[in-house]
Amino acid sequence: MPGAVAQDTVLNKYSLWVIDHMEPLRKTIRHNPAKAMIDLKKLIPPLPLDLRYAGIHHFTNQQLYPTLKTTYLRKTAASDLSAIQNELKPTGLGLKIFDAYRPYFVTEKLWEPLQEDRYAADPKKSSGHNRGIAVDLTVIDLTTKEEQDMGTGFDDFSDTAHHDFTTLAPSILQNRL
């Protein structure tokens, strides 16, 4: 088959093909440059990070990956995020990142205690975070660095956290927009 690439991945316990080493990832990126991961701190300086799963301030209360100084997204997602940051800046607002790319094993660790696909990605389906196309974030005041009130905290598993929940103060609804 012309243009075919060998499958340099590992079949995991959920029957998904997962790249688990750097060389297969490099081959994948050479075949499809859109899959390259971009360092968000280099693309969008100074981008505040509070990578929650690198600490214990989230629902599992366990450090799920090492303390990091940056995080990554695929080129298109990273470019879109940069455009949003540039759009917010003149208003005195900016983004703060809680999570972006995460290794597949973290998806498993987040799924195991919940097993609820409204709040955690089912490892059988993978996650946008595993592919570097999803980001958890909030909006901050650039001067004070204070987070805008979004009505719930990080990792809130109530109906209030849902996008379509509208029984909130008008200021919170505006922040969510």
Side-chain angles (χ1 to χ4, degrees), residues 40-41 47-51 68-71 96-98:
L40 293 181
K41 290 289 279 189
L47 182 66
L49 301 180
D50 182 5
L51 301 174
L68 303 170
K69 295 185 186 295
T70 194
T71 191
K96 180 179 183 179
I97 307 301
F98 294 129

Side-chain angles (χ1 to χ4, degrees), residues 4-5 11 16 22 31 34 41 50 71 74 81 92 95 109 122 129 152 154 164 177:
V5 175
L11 189 62
L16 291 179
M22 286 304 294
H31 177 70
K41 290 289 279 189
D50 182 5
T71 191
R74 281 192 189 169
L81 196 70
L95 302 173
K109 288 183 178 184
D122 185 339
H129 288 282
T152 65
F154 182 76
D164 60 356
L177 283 176

Side-chain angles (χ1 to χ4, degrees), residues 152-172:
T152 65
F154 182 76
D155 273 355
D156 184 292
F157 303 133
S158 70
D159 289 342
T160 307
H162 290 247
H163 295 289
D164 60 356
F165 189 88
T166 57
T167 310
L168 295 165
S171 61
I172 294 172

